[in-house]
Amino acid sequence: MDYFDPHIHMVSRTTDDYETLARMGCVGVSEPAFWAGFDRGSVESFRDYFRQLTDFEAKRAAQFGIQHYTWLCINAKEAENVELSREVIAMIPEFLDCPGVLGIGEIGLNKNTKNEATIFVEHLELAVKYDQQILIHTPHLADKYQGTRMILDMLCDDSRLDHSRVLVDHVEEHTVRHVLEEGFWAGMTLYPVTKCTPARAVDIIEMYGPERLMANSAGDWGPSKPTAVPDLIVEMRRRGHPESLIRKVVYENPLEFFRQSQGFQFTPRDAEQTRV
């Protein structure tokens, strides 16, 4: 089955991973800007990173028939450096018209600090000014619920935002309802240890239905599995869910959300070549 991974950090993966994803049915990926494993020291470091996301990674993915899209921001982990964050936000418009850029992300909170909240709101201002979609990171583990509530409150306080153009990622059982009730899209990140396993994600789909729900692998530097979305497909089939429902979650929903971005020019595979 063709699928789309809406949140995966391919800069941290090998070329062999691209080959494996293609063999398992991946036809497209969307890669948010994120933390590099260390705090970067200048705006030029981010300019080079954005060149990598908008140029090099798209070419690397294309070698395997995978269409690559990206999001731009400074991650919440580096938002404590407010001066640098503002320099990066001022530079981002240089890249917004590059092919494959879908919007601003993944912005959000990490430890729910005042500086993180300040930079989050300034990213929202940038998205509104340039009419961009938004992809949001929610905090990990103990900070998850409070951080998600803070993010939703800041989003809902801004009447200019179209909730249908915002994806709130890394939802879990105790946060997904709040995200969906406010009209946002929700992303379930499938991790082998933290966040959400494929089995828990299927539980969430069974509880809330497939509308405005997506599943991703994150596929980053840490313990993660880039083929986690196919694992979800297997789990849904094991429970007897129809192919149409599986396809909606792993293919149709990401396309419906991304098509709201001017930077999304997706070409579906020829129907005769599609494996079902």
Side-chain angles (χ1 to χ4, degrees):
M1 174 181 289
D2 284 358
Y3 76 92
F4 198 114
D5 194 328
H7 185 145
I8 184 168
H9 298 292
M10 293 307 298
V11 298
S12 62
R13 310 306 308 192
T14 66
T15 300
D16 287 347
D17 288 332
Y18 271 119
E19 183 176 9
T20 300
L21 292 177
R23 286 178 174 172
M24 301 192 78
C26 182
V27 294
V29 296
S30 126
E31 177 161 9
F34 82 140
W35 192 53
F38 59 92
D39 290 348
R40 285 157 284 203
S42 75
V43 68
E44 290 306 316
S45 295
F46 282 89
R47 184 175 275 111
D48 289 341
Y49 176 44
F50 294 162
R51 287 196 190 105
Q52 181 182 15
L53 288 175
T54 57
D55 184 19
F56 177 74
E57 280 304 324
K59 292 176 181 174
R60 199 160 71 111
Q63 295 176 50
F64 302 94
I66 296 174
Q67 297 174 57
H68 180 279
Y69 300 89
T70 193
W71 306 73
L72 306 175
C73 76
I74 179 169
N75 190 271
K77 285 188 176 182
E78 291 166 291
E80 291 302 328
N81 188 338
V82 174
E83 180 180 356
L84 175 59
S85 297
R86 286 174 171 160
E87 291 178 7
V88 173
I89 290 171
M91 180 267 291
I92 286 173
E94 295 177 21
F95 292 87
L96 290 179
D97 290 332
C98 290
V101 174
L102 299 181
I104 306 301
E106 57 181 300
I107 61 173
L109 301 177
N110 182 45
K111 294 297 182 181
N112 306 332
T113 69
K114 180 179 179 181
N115 283 342
E116 290 173 10
T118 297
I119 296 306
F120 177 76
V121 170
E122 293 186 17
H123 274 113
L124 296 183
E125 289 289 336
L126 179 69
V128 170
K129 180 177 180 179
Y130 288 92
D131 191 29
Q132 296 293 307
Q133 286 194 270
I134 300 169
L135 192 157
I136 293 177
H137 164 95
T138 52
H140 301 268
L141 300 175
D143 300 310
K144 170 72 72 179
Y145 182 78
Q146 180 189 12
T148 301
R149 283 298 343 166
M150 289 173 63
I151 288 169
L152 294 179
D153 288 345
M154 287 187 280
L155 291 171
C156 292
D157 283 345
D158 192 331
S159 61
R160 301 169 300 173
L161 295 176
D162 180 350
H163 293 196
S164 69
R165 299 187 72 208
V166 178
L167 168 59
V168 180
D169 227 326
H170 314 322
V171 299
E172 297 181 29
E173 292 87 342
H174 60 309
T175 59
V176 62
R177 177 173 62 83
H178 305 286
V179 172
L180 293 175
E181 284 182 349
E182 295 293 352
F184 301 108
W185 286 76
M188 303 175 290
T189 297
L190 311 174
Y191 257 23
V193 181
T194 61
K195 296 180 180 167
C196 193
T197 64
R200 287 170 56 196
V202 180
D203 290 343
I204 291 173
I205 295 168
E206 291 172 349
M207 291 176 63
Y208 294 97
E211 298 300 327
R212 287 183 285 115
L213 265 179
M214 302 183 213
N216 65 76
S217 70
D220 52 33
W221 309 103
S224 56
K225 188 177 181 183
T227 55
V229 176
D231 289 347
L232 175 80
I233 294 172
V234 170
E235 178 64 16
M236 292 186 74
R237 284 174 175 160
R238 188 186 71 79
R239 298 193 192 187
H241 290 294
E243 295 293 302
S244 59
L245 175 62
I246 301 171
R247 181 178 169 86
K248 178 172 178 58
V249 173
V250 303
Y251 184 78
E252 294 173 358
N253 278 356
L255 265 59
E256 180 181 348
F257 177 73
F258 294 145
R259 281 182 177 134
Q260 299 179 84
S261 171
Q262 294 181 353
F264 191 68
Q265 303 296 323
F266 182 74
T267 304
R269 285 205 288 189
D270 186 281
E272 294 181 357
Q273 298 176 342
T274 301
R275 291 172 290 144
V276 178

